[in-house]
Amino acid sequence: DFLAAAARAAIAGETFDLLLAYQPAVDEVQHTFAVADPRQAAYSEGMAATAERAVNETYLMIDTAVADLARALDLTSDALAVVSDHGIAPIWEVVHANEVLRRAGLAGAVARGDRQAVSEDSQVVAVTSGGCAHLYVNAVGREPGGVVPPERVEAVVEAAAQAFALLEGGGDPVVEAAYPRRDLGALGLDSANAGDLVVFMRPGVAVTGGIGGATHEPATYSGQHGFRSHHPEMHGVFMARGIRPKFAARFESKGIRTPDGIFDPRNVVEV
């Protein structure tokens, strides 16, 4: 395929110390074909079997591409590492985070063309990815046009957390965990860009930044990532062949920081 051919061409024709190659097919096919749970709209025993076959065939295709790269390298002098950035889990429900905030009186909606967007005078806005949402308070003195005084930030965070805690789908809570900014350091999420509240959905429930419609609805696709890292479905791939790289400066890593703390790389699942 094109990406594998591009990597082989780079190996043959370029001088490099580090070459990064990407194969998106495994991710793309599982967003569509992670059909494995009866709660999914597309689920049937036949569809689940067909989907599993499609996923397995995709892994075999990528395995062939990796083998081609290995043959293009000299593994007596080169190193080949294969990694994934996340796993994937079946989903059947999607929550629209900014609509949850709007109904809690914490965000407003404004029309922008043919869609609804979060208004600039909202108290909170949610930025989402997969099964995780970062909620940012529109604080005076921190955000341009901030509307929430500093002394009210904590109360607004608590109100947002309560709005998500009360949200249910099929009679079950849709949120697995929520962490205010003060607790993010222990989780390895203490970035300056992290939200004032970080919300993780339960596997099976994805989250978007939508506003102006339902708070949640059936998912229109099958697989998603971004859930808490202790779930086996979120574990990734790591394998390496060839020589041990020589670094200009030696360093030691005790693990990879994840939302659940330090993850021992020896526990990464090889697929």
Side-chain angles (χ1 to χ4, degrees):
D1 84 330
F2 173 79
L3 294 174
R8 291 194 303 270
I11 291 170
E14 300 291 336
T15 300
F16 56 86
D17 294 312
L18 175 66
L19 174 66
L20 299 178
Y22 180 50
Q23 284 284 355
V26 170
D27 178 80
E28 292 170 350
V29 76
Q30 290 186 104
H31 279 297
T32 302
F33 289 109
V35 180
D37 192 290
R39 288 168 288 189
Q40 293 176 285
Y43 181 85
S44 69
E45 290 185 2
M47 183 60 195
T50 299
E52 182 180 20
R53 186 163 56 250
V55 171
N56 289 341
E57 288 175 354
T58 303
Y59 270 102
L60 290 172
M61 178 182 71
I62 300 306
D63 184 69
T64 298
V66 171
D68 286 345
L69 291 182
R71 282 189 289 268
L73 296 167
D74 178 359
L75 295 181
T76 65
S77 59
D78 299 324
L80 171 65
V82 180
V83 300
S84 64
D85 51 348
H86 50 68
I88 204 156
I91 64 166
W92 48 87
E93 195 80 6
V94 174
V95 168
H96 304 299
N98 285 308
E99 181 60 19
V100 174
L101 296 171
R102 188 190 72 81
R103 297 195 186 196
L106 298 171
V110 61
R112 289 184 181 166
D114 59 353
R115 65 183 183 89
Q116 296 286 300
V118 179
S119 63
E120 295 182 359
D121 60 352
S122 294
Q123 296 182 70
V124 189
V125 63
V127 178
T128 66
S129 179
C132 178
H134 285 248
L135 276 60
Y136 299 88
V137 176
N138 193 8
V140 173
R142 188 184 71 183
E143 309 294 343
V147 299
V148 178
E151 64 272 14
R152 289 201 61 248
V153 167
E154 186 172 346
V156 170
V157 168
E158 290 178 358
Q162 181 73 0
F164 279 90
L166 294 174
L167 191 62
E168 294 185 346
D172 296 319
V174 299
V175 171
E176 180 174 21
Y179 301 99
R181 182 185 285 270
R182 63 178 177 271
D183 294 338
L184 296 181
L187 304 170
L189 294 175
D190 51 347
S191 165
N193 296 321
D196 296 295
L197 181 71
V198 179
V199 178
F200 286 96
M201 314 308 288
R202 293 185 180 277
V205 182
V207 61
T208 81
I211 192 170
T215 56
H216 58 94
E217 59 188 336
T220 57
Y221 60 103
S222 299
Q224 190 54 278
H225 39 75
F227 302 100
R228 294 179 68 196
S229 63
H230 69 277
H231 295 291
E233 299 91 338
M234 293 299 100
H235 294 178
V237 173
F238 178 83
M239 63 181 184
R241 297 291 184 270
I243 67 161
R244 181 175 180 174
K246 294 180 179 179
F247 297 102
R250 181 175 174 81
F251 66 95
E252 296 289 341
S253 175
K254 295 182 179 179
I256 302 167
R257 281 204 169 273
T258 72
D260 294 308
I262 298 297
F263 182 77
D264 187 341
R266 292 172 299 180
N267 293 333
V268 177
V269 177
E270 234 180 81
V271 178

